[in-house]
Amino acid sequence: MALGVSRKLLKEFLHLESAGGILLVIAAILAMVLVNSPFDFIYNALLEIPVEIRIGAIEVAKPLLLWINDGLMAIFFLLIGLEVKREVLEGQLSELSQVVLPGVAALGGVVVPALVYMMLNQGDATAMRGWAIPTATDIAFALGILALLGSRVPSSLKLFLLTLAILDDLAAIIIIAVFYSHELSVLSMGLASAALLIMVILNRLHVSNITIYILLGVCAWVFVLKSGVHATLAGVAVAFTIPLKVEKPAYYSPLKHLEHKLHPWVAFMIVPVFAFANAGVPISGGLDLMFTGIPMGIALGLLVGKPLGVFGASWLLIKSGFAKLPSGANWSQLFGVSVLCGIGFTMSLFIGSLSFDQNAADYAMQDRIGILIGSFFAAVIGVVWLYLAGKPNPDDSGAGKGH
């Protein structure tokens, strides 16, 4: 029964990511068209609109772009945190045997692209701050493409990629927390910790009212924003405090309910808006920069480093006998999925926004060029490779089937 429910949730998830991925592409193309048109001033002016919220002595004043990157993306990370917690407690991450292969593959997919980037940017201290940009995988794009390929890709590989992408997001969260936090405010961190502690206590008391968690979560976000730790991490921390289930007076899962409610908003609004706000790259002069260290490091990190890291780590683990090739899949299909892991887009753009501040605008434009080119070719090559590597299997129509 539980397995059937899990398959149903996974099928719905993949279908949703497919549709969201299409909208994501449209948003990115719209940004590119607008920035390279006579109306580029509208795009820039829109993102620079000052937005201010003040409650007493507490003030949050930022341009619209930073509200998107710090505010809306905190909701994106809240959803990631909910998914990770659910998978750890009762999903693909709850059994060690199911985690070993995608876990090691995810590690390889972080280390190798970072090394590729650092090799091409050594000697430039500012550029080296972007070492983590090509380590990310865009779960919406990658899973969306697999969903579109249907039964040409075994459902076991879709589960492999889903688990790998979740672990990859978890790695990105750790990287952001460790390497992209600034000078810390002890007072703000203390207040944020107090808000989270109250949420943990409410969890232990089996409080299921999501509104209370959301209000406290907003407080935690404000305090984290003021603390020097990147505000999006508040979303992950809040997610971990949401109860998976409350059995009395009747069984109810606040976590699954919130995840279900957030998913369409994230897929169809938040991620496309983020893509629109961050994908605008002027083509004039942009192509001339393509063969410099940052774009080349990112593009090759995504296009070469990611598949080498993911496939290489998987190959070593399987050949050494510590894991098995996903059921129904062959080595060629595993490599194709490894190529799709090079679609960094959303998370890469986000890490890029943290890597280079407003005083390094030229660097920021270079990272977007590398992300767009690397992700585009990873998507195209991955789709063609997987289409040629597999034949439709009527008994394996996607995520809804067993593995």
Side-chain angles (χ1 to χ4, degrees):
M1 180 66 179
L3 184 57
V5 172
S6 176
R7 290 172 181 169
K8 181 181 178 181
L9 287 173
L10 179 60
K11 186 174 182 178
E12 291 177 352
F13 178 85
L14 292 175
H15 287 169
L16 184 61
E17 293 300 338
S18 174
I22 294 172
L23 191 58
L24 188 61
V25 173
I26 294 173
I29 292 175
L30 181 60
M32 292 285 290
V33 170
L34 194 56
V35 166
N36 291 281
S37 75
F39 304 101
D40 60 332
F41 66 94
I42 297 177
Y43 178 85
N44 295 323
L46 177 65
L47 298 181
E48 292 171 3
I49 293 175
V51 180
E52 177 180 332
I53 294 179
R54 181 193 298 270
I55 302 177
I58 300 177
E59 173 190 14
V60 180
K62 292 176 175 290
L64 182 60
L65 175 62
L66 292 184
W67 275 100
I68 293 171
N69 291 354
D70 292 348
L72 289 184
M73 288 304 283
I75 302 175
F76 171 78
F77 276 85
L78 170 62
L79 181 61
I80 289 177
L82 294 171
E83 291 171 350
V84 169
K85 181 173 179 177
R86 174 175 52 77
E87 291 292 339
V88 167
L89 294 179
E90 62 175 26
Q92 293 298 309
L93 304 182
S94 62
E95 298 182 24
L96 183 60
S97 60
Q98 294 178 309
V99 177
V100 172
L101 181 60
V104 173
L107 180 61
V110 169
V111 173
V112 178
L115 291 175
V116 170
Y117 180 91
M118 289 188 286
M119 286 175 59
L120 292 172
N121 287 279
Q122 55 185 331
D124 186 336
T126 303
M128 287 293 280
R129 285 169 18 204
W131 66 269
I133 297 173
T135 65
T137 295
D138 190 306
I139 190 170
F141 267 146
L143 290 173
I145 287 173
L146 283 190
L148 293 173
L149 286 168
S151 60
R152 285 185 174 273
V153 180
S155 59
S156 61
L157 270 184
K158 295 175 183 178
L159 289 168
F160 168 80
L161 179 58
L162 175 60
T163 307
L164 186 152
I166 291 172
L167 292 170
D168 193 271
D169 284 343
L170 191 57
I173 290 167
I174 294 171
I175 288 171
I176 292 168
V178 174
F179 297 100
Y180 294 100
S181 295
H182 306 293
E183 294 182 8
L184 300 182
S185 165
V186 176
L187 175 60
S188 295
M189 280 299 297
L191 293 172
S193 300
L196 292 170
L197 179 60
I198 293 172
M199 297 175 74
V200 171
I201 293 172
L202 293 175
N203 182 315
R204 301 301 297 173
L205 293 175
H206 307 292
V207 174
S208 61
N209 191 321
I210 293 178
T211 302
I212 296 175
Y213 290 98
I214 291 175
L215 292 174
L216 287 168
V218 171
C219 293
W221 175 80
V222 173
F223 294 138
V224 170
L225 181 67
K226 297 290 187 177
S227 71
V229 176
H230 199 271
T232 52
L233 297 178
V236 180
V238 169
F240 289 164
T241 70
I242 306 295
L244 175 64
K245 60 183 178 180
V246 178
E247 297 181 354
K248 295 179 181 181
Y251 177 84
Y252 170 64
S253 176
L255 185 150
K256 291 181 182 178
H257 178 77
L258 183 58
E259 182 182 358
H260 177 73
K261 293 295 184 181
L262 284 179
H263 224 141
W265 286 100
V266 170
F268 296 121
M269 193 271 282
I270 290 175
V271 172
V273 166
F274 173 81
F276 175 78
N278 289 273
V281 177
I283 295 176
S284 57
L287 295 179
D288 295 336
L289 296 171
M290 177 57 214
F291 297 101
T292 56
I294 291 176
M296 284 296 291
I298 294 171
L300 292 179
L302 292 171
L303 190 57
V304 178
K306 264 290 185 181
L308 282 180
V310 171
F311 184 80
S314 300
W315 184 87
L316 287 172
L317 199 66
I318 293 170
K319 287 297 183 180
S320 63
F322 291 104
K324 295 181 179 179
L325 195 65
S327 176
N330 55 46
W331 286 107
S332 183
Q333 290 172 320
L334 181 61
F335 180 76
V337 168
S338 301
V339 174
L340 287 185
C341 289
I343 306 173
F345 202 73
T346 304
M347 192 65 81
S348 290
L349 284 171
F350 182 73
I351 295 176
S353 72
L354 304 180
S355 301
F356 307 112
D357 56 31
Q358 295 179 347
N359 296 323
D362 292 339
Y363 287 89
M365 187 177 77
Q366 291 178 48
D367 78 51
R368 283 179 283 176
I369 294 169
I371 292 165
L372 292 172
I373 292 177
S375 297
F376 173 78
F377 281 105
V380 172
I381 295 172
V383 167
V384 173
W385 188 286
L386 285 169
Y387 185 85
L388 297 176
K391 296 180 179 180
N393 181 359
D395 296 325
D396 190 355
S397 58
K401 300 295 180 182
H403 66 285

